[in-house]
């Protein structure tokens, strides 16, 4: 049994207080109730430049992009679990989450890889369709990328049929599941 205490949630929807935000907030509520801690990072508030593959980070240097990711790398390094929250946007992630994930090239060299060794990930994905196949390409993107990074994907919270802000609150069972996930990852 693993005990995770520090949880970093990445809110990848540009819409605050929407379904992704509500789900992440509820998970964090569960985390805090169970004695864990952490925070939600709102990517919409951050400046995250595109990774252009300069690979300065593979030569023992800091990432060459001087932006908010410098601080977020530190937070990732200090966390036990990273929660990626994004709605489905055109069968994929939001541009915010994609730019964020692209910056994980930083962790794709032996020296930096050890900074994420032992961490786990969770994905949280709301979307509008009732057709579950809509979310498949995005789930696969995360599964393959996280596998490549050797970060086990320990939980998926996938919620179909939500469109407007707050729609997810109608699904009491889902909100309860979010709370339980938060509780479970810390205990
Ligand atoms: C640009 C954009 C693209 C979207 N593409 C899809 C899609 O391909 N399939 C789908 O089911 N929902 C799609 N949606 C709907 C969102 O996934 C849905 O409204 C979700 O609840 C938004 O999450 P949020 O409340 O956290 O912002 C899209 C919404 C936007 C704004």
């Amino acid at each position: 049994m693993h005990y995770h205490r520090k949880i970093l949630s990445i809110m990848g929807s540009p819409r605050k207080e929407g379904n992704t935000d509500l789900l992440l907030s509820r998970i964090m509520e569960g985390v805090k109730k169970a004695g864990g801690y952490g925070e939600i990072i709102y990517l919409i508030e951050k400046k995250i430049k595109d990774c252009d593959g300069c690979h300065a980070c593979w030569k023992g240097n800091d990432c060459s992009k001087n932006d908010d990711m410098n601080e977020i790398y530190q937070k990732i390094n200090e966390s036990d679990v990273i929660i990626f929250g994004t709605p489905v946007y055109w069968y994929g992630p939001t541009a915010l989450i994609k730019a964020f994930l692209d910056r994980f090239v930083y962790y794709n060299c032996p020296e930096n890889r050890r900074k994420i060794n032992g961490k786990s990930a969770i994905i949280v994905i709301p979307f509008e369709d009732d057709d579950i196949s809509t979310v498949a390409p995005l789930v696969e993107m995360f599964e393959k990328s996280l596998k490549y990074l050797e970060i086990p994907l320990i939980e998926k919270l996938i919620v179909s049929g939500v469109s407007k802000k707050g729609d997810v609150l109608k699904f009491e069972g889902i909100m309860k599941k979010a709370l339980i996930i938060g509780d479970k990852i810390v205990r």
Side-chain angles (χ1 to χ4, degrees), residues 13 15 18-21 87-91 126-129 134 162-165:
S13 171
R15 180 161 74 165
N19 299 308
T20 312
D21 196 3
V88 172
Y89 270 20
W90 291 112
Y91 305 94
F127 61 104
E128 184 170 1
D129 260 2
T134 291
V162 290
S163 172
K164 293 192 294 294
K165 259 187 176 182

Side-chain angles (χ1 to χ4, degrees), residues 99-128:
F100 173 74
L101 184 60
D102 285 356
R103 294 288 291 274
F104 274 61
V105 163
Y106 173 81
Y107 292 112
N108 199 31
C109 65
E111 198 188 340
N112 294 329
R113 176 61 64 90
R114 58 180 175 78
K115 297 177 185 169
I116 51 165
N117 276 350
K119 301 186 193 307
S120 311
I122 291 175
I123 56 174
V124 173
I125 311 177
F127 61 104
E128 184 170 1

Side-chain angles (χ1 to χ4, degrees), residues 54-61 109 111:
C54 77
H55 295 143
C57 58
W58 290 5
K59 294 166 198 143
N61 303 308
C109 65
E111 198 188 340

Side-chain angles (χ1 to χ4, degrees), residues 15-176:
R15 180 161 74 165
K16 281 192 188 169
E17 287 152 21
N19 299 308
T20 312
D21 196 3
L22 289 165
L23 290 164
L24 292 177
S25 299
R26 189 58 59 92
I27 292 176
M28 292 312 279
E29 218 181 290
V31 163
K32 280 164 197 168
K33 272 193 185 155
Y37 60 106
E39 64 178 302
I40 301 178
I41 292 181
Y42 291 85
L43 293 183
I44 191 73
E45 293 173 351
K46 305 292 180 189
K47 289 250 173 318
I48 299 180
K49 294 179 189 164
D50 288 337
C51 178
D52 59 6
C54 77
H55 295 143
C57 58
W58 290 5
K59 294 166 198 143
N61 303 308
D62 286 340
C63 175
S64 69
K65 309 290 175 286
N66 197 17
D67 60 12
D68 290 334
M69 225 22 219
N70 296 359
E71 183 196 323
I72 301 174
Y73 282 132
Q74 284 309 315
K75 294 188 183 209
I76 292 169
N77 299 347
E78 290 160 9
S79 299
D80 299 307
V81 181
I82 302 145
I83 308 182
F84 295 83
T86 175
V88 172
Y89 270 20
W90 291 112
Y91 305 94
T94 61
L96 288 172
I97 254 326
K98 187 61 170 67
F100 173 74
L101 184 60
D102 285 356
R103 294 288 291 274
F104 274 61
V105 163
Y106 173 81
Y107 292 112
N108 199 31
C109 65
E111 198 188 340
N112 294 329
R113 176 61 64 90
R114 58 180 175 78
K115 297 177 185 169
I116 51 165
N117 276 350
K119 301 186 193 307
S120 311
I122 291 175
I123 56 174
V124 173
I125 311 177
F127 61 104
E128 184 170 1
D129 260 2
D130 286 316
D131 181 355
I132 196 73
S133 75
T134 291
V135 78
L138 178 53
V139 171
E140 196 178 351
M141 180 204 79
F142 277 118
E143 283 172 350
K144 284 196 192 302
S145 303
L146 291 166
K147 188 175 177 200
Y148 196 93
L149 288 161
E150 299 167 289
I151 303 175
L153 178 55
I154 57 170
E155 193 80 58
K156 301 172 203 162
L157 185 57
I158 311 259
V159 186
S160 63
V162 290
S163 172
K164 293 192 294 294
K165 259 187 176 182
D167 273 355
V168 76
L169 295 172
K170 290 186 228 156
F171 299 123
E172 273 179 40
I174 296 283
M175 295 312 289
K176 195 166 173 198

